[in-house]
Amino acid sequence: MGLLKFLLPDPLPDGAASALEQLRFVAGYDRTPFPTTLRRDGTTLEVSHDLSESGYLSAPWPIPGVGFPVTVSATLREKPEAYRLLTELARGKLNQIRNAMEEWKLAGLEPPTEIANQIRTATEAFVHAVVDPASAESDPAALTALTQSCAASDALAEFYVGTSAKLQQARIGQPATRCTSQISGPLTADDAELYLAAFEVVQYTPRWSEIESAPTKFDWTTADAVVEWATQQGKPLIFGPLIDLGSDCLPSWLNADDGDVATLAAYFCEFVETTILRYRDRVRDWILCTGFNHADLHNLSQDDRLRLVVRILEAARGADNDGRWVIGVSQPWGEYLDHAEYTLSPLVFCDTLLRSGLSIAGFNLEIIAGESPRGSLLHDGLELLRLFELYGLLGVPLDITASHPGRIGATPSTTFNTCHKSSESDDSQAEWGGFLAALCSTLSHVRCFGWNQWSDDSSGRGLIAADGQPKPLLFRLRHLRAEFSA
């Protein structure tokens, strides 16, 4: 068993104690998290794991004006002495941004002087932190280095998006990435006007529990209305996810066959085939299923879930040989791997499906901020770029589905959470979602960016507020579309 020791800053900043519970040991090119045991004794933190190789420490940490972004240390080896946590987080972040800047220079992208100055300031602070690690000034200097490195990271990500967007616009005029938002039913006339002004693609997400309230008892009223509306508008339609294993959209009558894989497969395939046969003349793009890489409903093992996805793919191809089949991936950074019963990382899950030889048109990565059973921790722009490039190695297109709750009530900004700027306002949602959409538009292998909810419910994740007014993010997305169409 590997054991690492870390000295914590004293006192801990607000929210850091809760954030430390999310600290994990990660390894490999995809930074797969491993089950990690934490034991805190005053200002000392012991981190133990079962991995027999070197790796990194992944931890969220409070950064003023940002929230609690995940930072990954440089490679750590076991040693009897304790590392200083802030020093190692600063070392990892500084290493990342310096490498990124040098790589981009080699590619012909010259970051502005302001970013170079930020990196220089971070480097000077880091030197002060490591020259005398026992000094009382070591942790404050390391925090300065980490904060400045995060600021430089954000600036680098914005520079990359802006420069890449201009180059792409000059080369092909418009991005290959389409933009959409999921709807679950027909829109009002006012909402339809707002929707069509912002998005060139319609995405309808059906609720299986409402369509098939009892076995073979179907009600297609809502689905028919949405498909007909999209067809009348001349808009391409993305249909799905048809089956979401990690949501409340599954029919309650499936529980009677809990754990019976053969019966579940029969029900899943029947619903998929019936839906595709009904709409295949008007729908080409399908998200067949999502949540299968991590949801533990119905006592299904990982192998069971993989076999179910393969069965669903076979059923879909049998119903329409010309369809484009996309598979959803939850928690693409692999947070669920903290539990010992999971062994397949999200990337390995995707690669395994591709090796089945079935026709998979792409994968849909869920980037879900905030408290959610399938939510991810907060990652900055460079980490998002790295994630998308990592999945790009699979050689198939990506779709991105994003969600952020915006204002989440009276939660103070000093309380640990996984949202950008601690979700202090809908402007935080707009800043986070707008950047993510712009980043996707610069990547040739990202085919579609979608917001996962059109109108607000109690979670506040929609683009339309409860009073019917559009939120800032909707205007940001509409502006992005107009900017590229100009």
Side-chain angles (χ1 to χ4, degrees):
M1 175 179 288
L3 178 65
L4 299 170
K5 296 180 181 179
F6 295 91
L7 293 177
L8 304 175
D10 187 22
L12 285 175
D14 292 336
S18 297
L20 286 174
E21 297 175 5
Q22 305 298 321
L23 184 150
R24 296 294 179 264
F25 191 79
V26 301
Y29 186 72
D30 59 348
R31 294 179 183 167
T32 300
F34 287 85
T36 304
T37 301
L38 308 174
R39 190 175 75 85
R40 182 179 165 193
D41 183 11
T43 59
T44 301
L45 181 70
E46 290 188 353
V47 179
S48 57
H49 57 86
D50 293 330
L51 190 66
S52 59
E53 61 181 276
S54 60
Y56 323 91
L57 192 73
S58 171
W61 195 259
I63 302 297
V66 178
F68 293 77
V70 170
T71 302
V72 179
S73 73
T75 306
L76 298 172
R77 63 176 178 86
E78 291 185 39
K79 64 175 186 176
E81 301 83 15
Y83 291 97
R84 282 196 172 272
L85 178 63
L86 284 182
T87 298
E88 297 311 315
L89 293 180
R91 189 195 308 273
K93 194 62 185 176
L94 190 57
N95 181 61
Q96 181 194 35
I97 60 175
R98 292 177 67 172
N99 285 340
M101 189 169 74
E102 293 304 317
E103 288 175 4
W104 293 351
K105 284 182 179 179
L106 290 175
L109 299 179
E110 186 69 35
T113 304
E114 293 80 0
I115 298 179
N117 290 338
Q118 285 179 312
I119 295 177
R120 186 178 301 108
T121 301
T123 303
E124 291 172 354
F126 179 73
V127 169
H128 286 299
V130 298
V131 164
D132 186 6
S135 168
E137 299 302 316
S138 179
D139 279 340
L143 179 59
T144 299
L146 179 58
T147 302
Q148 289 294 323
S149 295
C150 287
S153 179
D154 285 340
L156 273 174
E158 293 284 356
F159 164 76
Y160 176 88
V161 168
T163 304
S164 298
K166 290 177 182 177
L167 291 174
Q168 188 178 68
Q169 195 170 25
R171 186 172 66 252
I172 61 176
Q174 283 187 256
T177 305
R178 305 176 298 177
C179 197
T180 187
S181 175
Q182 294 182 16
I183 58 175
S184 57
L187 301 178
T188 65
D190 290 341
D191 278 3
E193 183 177 355
L194 290 170
Y195 190 98
L196 296 174
F199 308 122
E200 58 266 53
V201 182
V202 176
Q203 181 176 350
Y204 170 61
T205 304
R207 292 184 62 86
W208 183 7
S209 57
E210 295 176 1
I211 291 176
E212 191 176 9
S213 57
T216 70
K217 184 180 179 181
F218 296 97
D219 181 359
W220 300 102
T221 304
T222 300
D224 285 348
V226 174
V227 172
E228 181 62 26
W229 173 73
T231 303
Q232 290 177 352
Q233 301 302 321
K235 297 293 184 182
L237 178 63
I238 299 172
F239 205 112
L242 296 182
I243 300 174
D244 188 340
L245 202 62
S247 76
D248 60 353
C249 296
L250 295 178
S252 59
W253 46 263
L254 279 178
N255 294 333
D257 300 294
D258 191 25
D260 185 346
V261 177
T263 303
L264 286 173
Y267 283 131
F268 287 174
C269 291
E270 181 182 7
F271 178 67
V272 167
E273 288 174 342
T274 303
T275 306
I276 293 174
L277 288 171
R278 187 177 185 87
Y279 299 114
R280 64 182 179 181
D281 60 328
R282 288 167 289 177
V283 179
R284 187 187 176 200
D285 292 305
W286 301 85
I287 303 175
L288 290 180
C289 57
T290 192
F292 280 70
N293 64 306
H294 94 294
D296 58 358
L297 296 181
H298 300 285
N299 299 319
L300 298 173
S301 68
Q302 287 186 127
D303 289 341
D304 289 337
R305 296 195 298 273
L306 273 171
R307 284 192 287 267
L308 283 171
V309 175
V310 171
R311 290 285 303 277
I312 291 169
L313 279 163
E314 291 173 339
R317 188 171 60 175
D320 182 6
N321 198 42
D322 295 326
R324 298 176 61 170
W325 319 116
V326 171
I327 305 299
V329 179
S330 302
Q331 292 190 331
W333 279 281
E335 287 91 345
Y336 63 87
L337 290 166
D338 180 50
H339 303 285
E341 62 267 25
Y342 296 106
T343 57
L344 288 182
S345 72
L347 189 68
V348 173
F349 174 83
C350 295
D351 184 62
T352 302
L353 288 175
L354 287 174
R355 292 175 187 273
S356 69
L358 295 171
S359 178
I360 298 177
F363 293 100
N364 184 296
L365 306 186
E366 297 178 357
I367 311 296
I368 308 297
E371 295 299 322
S372 168
R374 60 213 289 170
S376 295
L377 298 174
L378 177 64
H379 293 76
D380 69 13
L382 282 186
E383 287 291 327
L384 286 164
L385 175 60
R386 183 186 185 279
L387 180 79
F388 298 157
E389 290 179 338
L390 177 66
Y391 279 85
L393 297 176
L394 293 169
V396 296
L398 296 180
D399 294 345
I400 306 300
T401 293
S403 176
H404 188 290
R407 185 186 299 274
I408 55 176
T411 302
S413 61
T414 55
T415 300
F416 171 70
N417 63 69
T418 60
C419 295
H420 178 64
K421 292 190 175 179
S422 302
S423 288
E424 296 171 342
S425 70
D426 290 334
D427 289 335
S428 297
Q429 181 194 57
E431 184 177 344
W432 181 85
F435 169 81
L436 186 54
L439 174 62
C440 290
S441 70
T442 66
L443 301 174
S444 60
H445 66 287
V446 176
R447 183 176 54 190
C448 184
F449 172 83
W451 197 254
N452 87 326
Q453 192 169 320
W454 171 248
S455 57
D456 265 356
D457 55 17
S458 58
S459 69
R461 294 178 177 271
L463 298 174
I464 302 295
D467 61 2
Q469 296 301 307
K471 292 185 178 181
L473 177 56
L474 181 60
F475 294 112
R476 184 100 174 233
L477 296 176
R478 187 166 69 182
H479 174 74
L480 181 66
R481 179 186 178 187
E483 182 179 9
F484 275 105
S485 299

